[in-house]
Amino acid sequence: MLKTGTERVKRGMAEMQKGGVIMDVINAEQARIAEEAGAVAVMALERVPSDIRAAGGVARMADPTIVEEVLNAVSIPVMAKARIGHIVEARVLEAMGVDYIDESEVLTPADEVFHLLKSDYTVPFVCGARDLGEASRRIGEGASMLRTKGEPGTGNIVEAVRHMRMIQGQIRKVVAMSEDELMTEAKNLGAPFEVLLQIKKAGKLPVVNFAAGGIATPADAALMMQLGADGVFVGSGIFKSENPEKFARAIVEATTHYQDYKLIAELSKGLGTPMKGIEISTLAQGERMQERGW
Amino acid sequence: MLKIGVLALQGAVQEHVKAIEASGAQAVAVKRVEELEDLDGLVMPGGESTAMRRLIDKYQFLEPLKEFATNKPVFGTCAGLILMAKRIQGQDTAHLELIDMTVERNAFGRQVDSFEADLMIHGVGEDFTGVFIRAPFIVEVGPEVEILSKHNDRIVAAKQGHFLCAAFHPELTDDYRLHQFFVKMVQANKEVVA
């Protein structure tokens, strides 16, 4: 008996990405640079988040030509983004053979009430979360991997740090609770009881949790690993920097050796200018991508 | 107690650590060349083989790993199997070149084709759940290589001397029989050397 799309196969795929860096790319050439630099996967996009921010308007699934180009260019896994709740974008990406779908707040949501029922798909999904309630709801819907939302396209790590600390703290709290307190905690967090019970028993999330949204330097990547991330997504940070190739390699190494500070010092030398970055308080409420998702 | 390392440059390290410990040996994550020194055996985990190779080169792990493998047992799963192969289809060069076999990467297709299947593994047992994730398989083996398991006529586990490899992920299940098999190989090797 051969079974595809099982929970173990979908979650397992993310397990294999641990300790690695997933990079946003917009064409085959960038995908090859990312693979060569040691990325564990690439995210195929039409525009990186900082350009989506600059362009404004409605951001949708990438043109399938770009996704196809990237799929053909590299041997590492290829991810792509679908709009929150957009069943058809997700099915199209699945049909194209994409290895992982990001149901992403970086794109303009297609549904303001419901997320995708991700357990229905053969392809695995990654979703963003700011706290344990959101993380548990996504797991309940069938997400096989999580990431912090951070604030995409800002080059500012502060929101990713907030989200990672929040989730780790809430996990510690759940683990320390007695079982008869869990239902009320589930109510308070808006989390499925079963997921909290699993977290309590295992002492950790049942899926891999990466950091994303604002990572701009090797030290940022190492910081997120130290706060408990299983790996990192770098969006605009690499190909918006002065020397993407060097930057990509440095971020990969800093993620592996996140506690080797001498090495990170070496890696950080002469990298050129990182992406410029945005102070979060200057963003209007409507410009904050992390508010998308429910 | 036997001490078995898990190469921890990238990939599913903790799962192997847990499986080794459940099989009665001490497990340590190996990030630096010096950490190979007092090990009795080594596991090369699943992950992305291209990413691992880049880090192996960057930190001058290639020669020390080959040297380690001359007299110590090594067990590779998925990407680890690719690192151990002498030949990789479609590529001019291979990595550690430990096992006389040709492998094909991502040979079952993309992630949507990833699957679970029950396997019979010689010397290990039946009804072993093989978790195949963008898995490679072994296209052909040399005369010294013992085929341990096949799935639909494709070779998915093999052994050559003190080297063991699997195209699937035993570390993602609670079935520790294959890890126990490797721990026995490590034990036997240590006795011979001693």
Side-chain angles (χ1 to χ4, degrees):
Chain A
M1 251 301 267
L2 187 149
K3 293 169 283 183
T4 56
T6 61
E7 189 178 273
R8 188 148 56 185
V9 158
K10 294 201 285 186
R11 290 180 178 182
M13 159 81 206
E15 299 283 347
M16 298 308 138
Q17 305 267 295
K18 282 194 300 195
V21 182
I22 301 170
M23 303 182 189
D24 278 3
V25 298
I26 58 164
N27 55 39
E29 191 204 336
Q30 289 189 354
R32 282 190 211 103
I33 291 174
E35 182 174 44
E36 188 55 35
V40 290
V42 289
M43 176 79 69
L45 291 163
E46 205 159 307
R47 282 195 279 260
V48 295
S50 63
D51 286 340
I52 289 176
R53 222 173 246 297
V58 175
R60 310 178 179 91
M61 171 184 84
D63 182 331
T65 320
I66 294 173
V67 178
E68 217 166 69
E69 184 186 317
V70 173
L71 280 169
N72 293 330
V74 292
S75 66
I76 53 177
V78 175
M79 302 187 169
K81 290 184 195 291
R83 280 180 270 177
I84 290 172
H86 205 307
I87 299 165
V88 173
E89 283 189 354
R91 286 294 182 193
V92 166
L93 291 172
E94 181 179 52
M96 289 181 68
V98 160
D99 296 298
Y100 234 96
I101 296 176
D102 185 357
E103 186 184 20
S104 178
E105 68 281 3
V106 169
L107 305 181
T108 312
D111 191 320
E112 292 200 317
V113 185
F114 303 112
H115 280 254
L116 297 167
L117 184 61
K118 293 163 279 285
S119 52
D120 256 7
Y121 294 70
T122 305
V123 68
F125 280 83
V126 56
C127 286
R130 291 173 299 177
D131 56 48
L132 191 59
E134 203 171 9
S136 304
R137 290 195 293 279
R138 299 296 87 83
I139 294 169
E141 292 154 358
S144 310
M145 178 182 190
L146 294 170
R147 53 170 176 77
T148 58
K149 283 180 161 176
E151 192 52 49
T154 60
N156 189 338
I157 196 71
V158 67
E159 295 301 304
V161 167
R162 186 198 316 281
H163 301 159
M164 187 55 78
R165 282 213 182 263
M166 175 66 85
I167 290 176
Q168 299 290 357
Q170 288 170 319
I171 290 171
R172 285 193 292 271
K173 189 176 166 204
V174 163
V175 170
M177 279 179 157
S178 72
E179 224 169 287
D180 56 11
E181 295 169 332
L182 274 189
M183 186 57 86
T184 298
E185 186 66 3
K187 183 183 111 185
N188 293 340
L189 290 173
F193 174 78
E194 292 303 324
V195 175
L196 291 192
L197 192 61
Q198 271 180 47
I199 292 169
K200 177 169 172 52
K201 284 184 175 157
K204 61 185 186 67
L205 288 169
V207 301
V208 163
N209 187 22
F210 270 45
I215 294 159
T217 66
D220 285 349
L223 168 64
M224 295 313 299
M225 293 300 286
Q226 215 155 92
L227 292 177
D230 291 311
V232 298
F233 282 87
V234 186
S236 323
I238 289 172
F239 290 100
K240 285 288 164 191
S241 72
E242 210 171 286
N243 186 344
E245 218 164 323
K246 204 170 167 195
F247 226 90
R249 285 169 187 263
I251 287 191
V252 168
E253 284 174 46
T255 304
T256 303
H257 293 284
Y258 60 91
Q259 285 172 314
D260 188 337
Y261 307 117
K262 276 187 187 155
L263 177 82
I264 296 170
E266 281 306 310
L267 294 172
S268 307
K269 283 180 187 167
L271 278 181
T273 323
M275 66 179 291
K276 184 165 173 285
I278 300 171
E279 162 60 35
I280 304 295
S281 61
T282 64
L283 287 176
Q285 195 70 15
E287 293 173 335
R288 288 160 65 96
M289 292 173 173
Q290 61 174 286
E291 312 289 336
R292 300 162 167 179
W294 6 97
Chain B
M1 195 189 235
L2 294 171
K3 193 169 170 186
I4 298 178
V6 182
L7 188 65
L9 295 174
Q10 189 271 318
V13 175
Q14 277 318 309
E15 290 71 15
H16 273 295
V17 166
K18 192 177 152 210
I20 291 166
E21 285 171 350
S23 306
Q26 186 194 344
V28 284
V30 174
K31 281 199 174 195
R32 310 176 160 281
V33 171
E34 313 85 86
E35 291 164 346
L36 290 171
E37 222 160 77
D38 57 342
L39 299 178
D40 301 308
L42 182 72
V43 170
M44 294 203 285
E48 287 304 320
S49 63
T50 52
M52 279 189 217
R53 175 58 195 266
R54 222 199 76 66
L55 292 163
I56 283 174
D57 288 346
K58 180 73 196 180
Y59 299 105
Q60 284 99 40
F61 250 110
L62 197 70
E63 287 310 316
L65 282 173
K66 281 184 176 175
E67 163 104 30
F68 179 88
T70 55
N71 57 8
K72 301 267 179 74
V74 179
F75 176 24
T77 61
C78 197
L81 169 146
I82 295 167
L83 293 178
M84 293 175 83
K86 278 223 164 105
R87 294 169 298 278
I88 302 169
Q89 220 158 53
Q91 296 184 17
D92 297 332
T93 56
H95 307 289
L96 296 171
E97 302 180 18
L98 303 179
I99 301 180
D100 186 12
M101 60 181 181
T102 306
V103 299
E104 187 180 337
R105 294 181 59 204
N106 303 333
F108 293 96
R110 303 204 69 98
Q111 171 59 18
V112 286
D113 306 305
S114 293
F115 63 97
E116 293 182 31
D118 285 340
L119 303 173
M120 210 301 272
I121 308 176
H122 291 286
V124 175
E126 290 186 12
D127 297 324
F128 195 98
T129 304
V131 183
F132 293 82
I133 298 175
R134 287 172 44 95
F137 64 72
I138 302 166
V139 182
E140 54 175 18
V141 296
E144 307 288 303
V145 181
E146 193 186 333
I147 295 170
L148 296 186
S149 186
K150 283 187 178 185
H151 169 72
N152 287 347
D153 287 331
R154 288 159 163 177
I155 307 165
V156 294
K159 180 175 178 290
Q160 180 182 358
H162 57 284
F163 301 134
L164 178 68
C165 67
F168 50 92
H169 293 282
E171 76 280 12
L172 292 183
T173 67
D174 296 327
D175 187 339
Y176 301 124
R177 284 178 290 169
L178 198 55
H179 282 87
Q180 286 160 2
F181 183 81
F182 179 63
V183 170
K184 276 190 203 143
M185 282 172 61
V186 175
Q187 179 69 47
N189 184 72
K190 195 172 184 179
E191 282 162 10
V192 170
V193 174

PDB file of all heavy atoms in Angstrom, chain B residues 1 4-5 7 10 17-18 22 33 63-64 68 72 77 80-81 94 97 99 103 112 123 160-161 174 179:
ATOM      1  N   MET B   1      29.463   3.138  27.021  1.00  0.00           N
ATOM      2  CA  MET B   1      28.333   3.269  26.079  1.00  0.00           C
ATOM      3  C   MET B   1      28.836   3.749  24.717  1.00  0.00           C
ATOM      4  O   MET B   1      29.739   4.579  24.648  1.00  0.00           O
ATOM      5  CB  MET B   1      27.345   4.287  26.657  1.00  0.00           C
ATOM      6  CG  MET B   1      25.995   4.236  25.968  1.00  0.00           C
ATOM      7  SD  MET B   1      24.963   5.625  26.509  1.00  0.00           S
ATOM      8  CE  MET B   1      23.516   4.782  27.072  1.00  0.00           C
ATOM      9  N   ILE B   4      27.488   7.850  19.223  1.00  0.00           N
ATOM     10  CA  ILE B   4      27.213   7.997  17.789  1.00  0.00           C
ATOM     11  C   ILE B   4      26.878   9.451  17.467  1.00  0.00           C
ATOM     12  O   ILE B   4      26.035  10.062  18.124  1.00  0.00           O
ATOM     13  CB  ILE B   4      26.063   7.047  17.360  1.00  0.00           C
ATOM     14  CG1 ILE B   4      26.494   5.589  17.608  1.00  0.00           C
ATOM     15  CG2 ILE B   4      25.687   7.274  15.888  1.00  0.00           C
ATOM     16  CD1 ILE B   4      25.446   4.557  17.287  1.00  0.00           C
ATOM     17  N   GLY B   5      27.552   9.987  16.477  1.00  0.00           N
ATOM     18  CA  GLY B   5      27.319  11.378  16.090  1.00  0.00           C
ATOM     19  C   GLY B   5      26.233  11.486  15.033  1.00  0.00           C
ATOM     20  O   GLY B   5      25.962  10.536  14.299  1.00  0.00           O
ATOM     21  N   LEU B   7      25.548  14.185  11.979  1.00  0.00           N
ATOM     22  CA  LEU B   7      26.076  15.369  11.298  1.00  0.00           C
ATOM     23  C   LEU B   7      24.995  16.457  11.318  1.00  0.00           C
ATOM     24  O   LEU B   7      23.889  16.252  10.816  1.00  0.00           O
ATOM     25  CB  LEU B   7      26.473  15.011   9.857  1.00  0.00           C
ATOM     26  CG  LEU B   7      27.226  16.107   9.097  1.00  0.00           C
ATOM     27  CD1 LEU B   7      28.587  16.389   9.738  1.00  0.00           C
ATOM     28  CD2 LEU B   7      27.421  15.715   7.633  1.00  0.00           C
ATOM     29  N   GLN B  10      22.739  20.638   8.660  1.00  0.00           N
ATOM     30  CA  GLN B  10      21.373  21.010   8.259  1.00  0.00           C
ATOM     31  C   GLN B  10      20.553  19.725   8.195  1.00  0.00           C
ATOM     32  O   GLN B  10      21.093  18.664   7.914  1.00  0.00           O
ATOM     33  CB  GLN B  10      21.404  21.681   6.869  1.00  0.00           C
ATOM     34  CG  GLN B  10      20.081  22.317   6.418  1.00  0.00           C
ATOM     35  CD  GLN B  10      19.193  21.334   5.679  1.00  0.00           C
ATOM     36  OE1 GLN B  10      19.667  20.560   4.855  1.00  0.00           O
ATOM     37  NE2 GLN B  10      17.911  21.346   5.992  1.00  0.00           N
ATOM     38  N   VAL B  17      18.808  11.808  16.754  1.00  0.00           N
ATOM     39  CA  VAL B  17      19.336  11.782  18.123  1.00  0.00           C
ATOM     40  C   VAL B  17      18.386  10.959  19.009  1.00  0.00           C
ATOM     41  O   VAL B  17      18.808  10.071  19.747  1.00  0.00           O
ATOM     42  CB  VAL B  17      19.490  13.227  18.670  1.00  0.00           C
ATOM     43  CG1 VAL B  17      19.699  13.229  20.179  1.00  0.00           C
ATOM     44  CG2 VAL B  17      20.644  13.940  17.958  1.00  0.00           C
ATOM     45  N   LYS B  18      17.088  11.235  18.861  1.00  0.00           N
ATOM     46  CA  LYS B  18      16.078  10.524  19.647  1.00  0.00           C
ATOM     47  C   LYS B  18      16.090   9.027  19.329  1.00  0.00           C
ATOM     48  O   LYS B  18      16.054   8.185  20.229  1.00  0.00           O
ATOM     49  CB  LYS B  18      14.708  11.135  19.313  1.00  0.00           C
ATOM     50  CG  LYS B  18      13.594  10.710  20.227  1.00  0.00           C
ATOM     51  CD  LYS B  18      12.286  11.420  19.851  1.00  0.00           C
ATOM     52  CE  LYS B  18      11.107  10.558  20.228  1.00  0.00           C
ATOM     53  NZ  LYS B  18       9.950  10.739  19.375  1.00  0.00           N
ATOM     54  N   ALA B  22      17.051   5.985  21.815  1.00  0.00           N
ATOM     55  CA  ALA B  22      16.072   4.924  22.064  1.00  0.00           C
ATOM     56  C   ALA B  22      16.651   3.548  21.728  1.00  0.00           C
ATOM     57  O   ALA B  22      16.136   2.528  22.174  1.00  0.00           O
ATOM     58  CB  ALA B  22      14.811   5.178  21.242  1.00  0.00           C
ATOM     59  N   VAL B  33      34.489  19.729  12.894  1.00  0.00           N
ATOM     60  CA  VAL B  33      35.355  18.597  12.572  1.00  0.00           C
ATOM     61  C   VAL B  33      35.904  17.926  13.837  1.00  0.00           C
ATOM     62  O   VAL B  33      35.915  16.699  13.935  1.00  0.00           O
ATOM     63  CB  VAL B  33      36.511  19.067  11.648  1.00  0.00           C
ATOM     64  CG1 VAL B  33      37.544  17.980  11.482  1.00  0.00           C
ATOM     65  CG2 VAL B  33      35.956  19.491  10.288  1.00  0.00           C
ATOM     66  N   GLU B  63      37.343  15.756   3.803  1.00  0.00           N
ATOM     67  CA  GLU B  63      38.445  14.816   4.065  1.00  0.00           C
ATOM     68  C   GLU B  63      38.317  14.168   5.440  1.00  0.00           C
ATOM     69  O   GLU B  63      38.431  12.944   5.545  1.00  0.00           O
ATOM     70  CB  GLU B  63      39.801  15.506   3.881  1.00  0.00           C
ATOM     71  CG  GLU B  63      40.150  15.762   2.409  1.00  0.00           C
ATOM     72  CD  GLU B  63      39.987  14.519   1.515  1.00  0.00           C
ATOM     73  OE1 GLU B  63      40.406  13.417   1.932  1.00  0.00           O
ATOM     74  OE2 GLU B  63      39.402  14.662   0.417  1.00  0.00           O
ATOM     75  N   PRO B  64      38.050  14.947   6.497  1.00  0.00           N
ATOM     76  CA  PRO B  64      37.863  14.322   7.819  1.00  0.00           C
ATOM     77  C   PRO B  64      36.735  13.274   7.826  1.00  0.00           C
ATOM     78  O   PRO B  64      36.860  12.241   8.474  1.00  0.00           O
ATOM     79  CB  PRO B  64      37.516  15.499   8.731  1.00  0.00           C
ATOM     80  CG  PRO B  64      38.145  16.675   8.078  1.00  0.00           C
ATOM     81  CD  PRO B  64      38.074  16.425   6.612  1.00  0.00           C
ATOM     82  N   PHE B  68      37.281   9.430   8.661  1.00  0.00           N
ATOM     83  CA  PHE B  68      36.466   8.811   9.707  1.00  0.00           C
ATOM     84  C   PHE B  68      35.870   7.505   9.183  1.00  0.00           C
ATOM     85  O   PHE B  68      35.871   6.476   9.861  1.00  0.00           O
ATOM     86  CB  PHE B  68      35.348   9.782  10.105  1.00  0.00           C
ATOM     87  CG  PHE B  68      34.420   9.257  11.166  1.00  0.00           C
ATOM     88  CD1 PHE B  68      34.696   9.440  12.518  1.00  0.00           C
ATOM     89  CD2 PHE B  68      33.257   8.571  10.821  1.00  0.00           C
ATOM     90  CE1 PHE B  68      33.843   8.953  13.499  1.00  0.00           C
ATOM     91  CE2 PHE B  68      32.399   8.080  11.802  1.00  0.00           C
ATOM     92  CZ  PHE B  68      32.686   8.269  13.145  1.00  0.00           C
ATOM     93  N   LYS B  72      35.230   3.561  10.626  1.00  0.00           N
ATOM     94  CA  LYS B  72      34.064   3.700  11.512  1.00  0.00           C
ATOM     95  C   LYS B  72      32.771   3.598  10.694  1.00  0.00           C
ATOM     96  O   LYS B  72      32.703   4.093   9.564  1.00  0.00           O
ATOM     97  CB  LYS B  72      34.084   5.064  12.213  1.00  0.00           C
ATOM     98  CG  LYS B  72      35.326   5.338  13.068  1.00  0.00           C
ATOM     99  CD  LYS B  72      35.098   4.930  14.511  1.00  0.00           C
ATOM    100  CE  LYS B  72      36.325   5.161  15.371  1.00  0.00           C
ATOM    101  NZ  LYS B  72      36.561   6.577  15.665  1.00  0.00           N
ATOM    102  N   THR B  77      20.663   8.587   5.657  1.00  0.00           N
ATOM    103  CA  THR B  77      19.259   8.487   5.235  1.00  0.00           C
ATOM    104  C   THR B  77      18.952   9.607   4.239  1.00  0.00           C
ATOM    105  O   THR B  77      19.310  10.753   4.475  1.00  0.00           O
ATOM    106  CB  THR B  77      18.284   8.599   6.433  1.00  0.00           C
ATOM    107  OG1 THR B  77      18.440   9.858   7.078  1.00  0.00           O
ATOM    108  CG2 THR B  77      18.530   7.498   7.441  1.00  0.00           C
ATOM    109  N   GLY B  80      21.566  11.890   3.168  1.00  0.00           N
ATOM    110  CA  GLY B  80      22.766  11.209   3.672  1.00  0.00           C
ATOM    111  C   GLY B  80      23.188  10.087   2.741  1.00  0.00           C
ATOM    112  O   GLY B  80      24.379   9.869   2.512  1.00  0.00           O
ATOM    113  N   LEU B  81      22.207   9.366   2.193  1.00  0.00           N
ATOM    114  CA  LEU B  81      22.481   8.308   1.212  1.00  0.00           C
ATOM    115  C   LEU B  81      23.134   8.901  -0.042  1.00  0.00           C
ATOM    116  O   LEU B  81      24.086   8.343  -0.583  1.00  0.00           O
ATOM    117  CB  LEU B  81      21.174   7.579   0.859  1.00  0.00           C
ATOM    118  CG  LEU B  81      21.135   6.609  -0.317  1.00  0.00           C
ATOM    119  CD1 LEU B  81      20.176   5.463  -0.015  1.00  0.00           C
ATOM    120  CD2 LEU B  81      20.686   7.287  -1.600  1.00  0.00           C
ATOM    121  N   ALA B  94      30.559  13.185  -7.334  1.00  0.00           N
ATOM    122  CA  ALA B  94      29.758  12.743  -6.198  1.00  0.00           C
ATOM    123  C   ALA B  94      30.340  13.393  -4.940  1.00  0.00           C
ATOM    124  O   ALA B  94      31.114  14.347  -5.054  1.00  0.00           O
ATOM    125  CB  ALA B  94      29.770  11.230  -6.115  1.00  0.00           C
ATOM    126  N   GLU B  97      31.640   9.407  -1.603  1.00  0.00           N
ATOM    127  CA  GLU B  97      31.982   8.222  -2.411  1.00  0.00           C
ATOM    128  C   GLU B  97      32.331   7.013  -1.545  1.00  0.00           C
ATOM    129  O   GLU B  97      33.364   6.397  -1.708  1.00  0.00           O
ATOM    130  CB  GLU B  97      33.136   8.565  -3.362  1.00  0.00           C
ATOM    131  CG  GLU B  97      32.784   9.737  -4.267  1.00  0.00           C
ATOM    132  CD  GLU B  97      33.918  10.099  -5.240  1.00  0.00           C
ATOM    133  OE1 GLU B  97      34.805   9.259  -5.433  1.00  0.00           O
ATOM    134  OE2 GLU B  97      33.876  11.215  -5.778  1.00  0.00           O
ATOM    135  N   ILE B  99      29.941   4.280  -0.805  1.00  0.00           N
ATOM    136  CA  ILE B  99      29.285   3.034  -1.209  1.00  0.00           C
ATOM    137  C   ILE B  99      29.288   2.921  -2.728  1.00  0.00           C
ATOM    138  O   ILE B  99      28.976   3.886  -3.437  1.00  0.00           O
ATOM    139  CB  ILE B  99      27.839   2.976  -0.664  1.00  0.00           C
ATOM    140  CG1 ILE B  99      27.837   3.076   0.868  1.00  0.00           C
ATOM    141  CG2 ILE B  99      27.140   1.687  -1.103  1.00  0.00           C
ATOM    142  CD1 ILE B  99      26.455   3.021   1.518  1.00  0.00           C
ATOM    143  N   VAL B 103      23.121   6.524  -7.593  1.00  0.00           N
ATOM    144  CA  VAL B 103      21.808   6.950  -7.078  1.00  0.00           C
ATOM    145  C   VAL B 103      21.218   8.030  -7.973  1.00  0.00           C
ATOM    146  O   VAL B 103      21.928   8.731  -8.683  1.00  0.00           O
ATOM    147  CB  VAL B 103      21.902   7.483  -5.626  1.00  0.00           C
ATOM    148  CG1 VAL B 103      22.402   6.416  -4.688  1.00  0.00           C
ATOM    149  CG2 VAL B 103      22.789   8.719  -5.545  1.00  0.00           C
ATOM    150  N   VAL B 112       4.565  16.322  -4.022  1.00  0.00           N
ATOM    151  CA  VAL B 112       3.220  15.734  -4.091  1.00  0.00           C
ATOM    152  C   VAL B 112       3.268  14.223  -4.323  1.00  0.00           C
ATOM    153  O   VAL B 112       2.292  13.520  -4.074  1.00  0.00           O
ATOM    154  CB  VAL B 112       2.325  16.395  -5.179  1.00  0.00           C
ATOM    155  CG1 VAL B 112       1.869  17.772  -4.728  1.00  0.00           C
ATOM    156  CG2 VAL B 112       3.031  16.468  -6.526  1.00  0.00           C
ATOM    157  N   GLY B 123      17.342  -8.653   7.400  1.00  0.00           N
ATOM    158  CA  GLY B 123      18.124  -8.537   8.618  1.00  0.00           C
ATOM    159  C   GLY B 123      17.505  -7.602   9.646  1.00  0.00           C
ATOM    160  O   GLY B 123      17.993  -7.479  10.760  1.00  0.00           O
ATOM    161  N   GLN B 160      27.136  -1.894   2.719  1.00  0.00           N
ATOM    162  CA  GLN B 160      28.427  -2.332   2.196  1.00  0.00           C
ATOM    163  C   GLN B 160      29.427  -2.248   3.330  1.00  0.00           C
ATOM    164  O   GLN B 160      29.783  -1.156   3.767  1.00  0.00           O
ATOM    165  CB  GLN B 160      28.883  -1.445   1.022  1.00  0.00           C
ATOM    166  CG  GLN B 160      30.238  -1.883   0.470  1.00  0.00           C
ATOM    167  CD  GLN B 160      30.739  -0.996  -0.674  1.00  0.00           C
ATOM    168  OE1 GLN B 160      30.073  -0.067  -1.106  1.00  0.00           O
ATOM    169  NE2 GLN B 160      31.927  -1.309  -1.170  1.00  0.00           N
ATOM    170  N   GLY B 161      29.899  -3.406   3.822  1.00  0.00           N
ATOM    171  CA  GLY B 161      30.817  -3.417   4.962  1.00  0.00           C
ATOM    172  C   GLY B 161      30.214  -2.673   6.141  1.00  0.00           C
ATOM    173  O   GLY B 161      29.119  -3.002   6.587  1.00  0.00           O
ATOM    174  N   ASP B 174       8.325   5.830  14.896  1.00  0.00           N
ATOM    175  CA  ASP B 174       8.721   5.361  16.223  1.00  0.00           C
ATOM    176  C   ASP B 174       9.262   3.940  16.158  1.00  0.00           C
ATOM    177  O   ASP B 174       9.411   3.267  17.172  1.00  0.00           O
ATOM    178  CB  ASP B 174       7.527   5.410  17.185  1.00  0.00           C
ATOM    179  CG  ASP B 174       7.062   6.832  17.410  1.00  0.00           C
ATOM    180  OD1 ASP B 174       7.921   7.736  17.395  1.00  0.00           O
ATOM    181  OD2 ASP B 174       5.844   7.050  17.587  1.00  0.00           O
ATOM    182  N   HIS B 179      17.665   1.687  13.295  1.00  0.00           N
ATOM    183  CA  HIS B 179      18.681   2.327  14.131  1.00  0.00           C
ATOM    184  C   HIS B 179      19.345   1.297  15.048  1.00  0.00           C
ATOM    185  O   HIS B 179      20.558   1.337  15.256  1.00  0.00           O
ATOM    186  CB  HIS B 179      18.070   3.465  14.959  1.00  0.00           C
ATOM    187  CG  HIS B 179      17.851   4.723  14.166  1.00  0.00           C
ATOM    188  ND1 HIS B 179      16.701   4.952  13.450  1.00  0.00           N
ATOM    189  CD2 HIS B 179      18.650   5.802  13.940  1.00  0.00           C
ATOM    190  CE1 HIS B 179      16.802   6.117  12.831  1.00  0.00           C
ATOM    191  NE2 HIS B 179      17.966   6.652  13.107  1.00  0.00           N
TER     192      HIS B 179
END
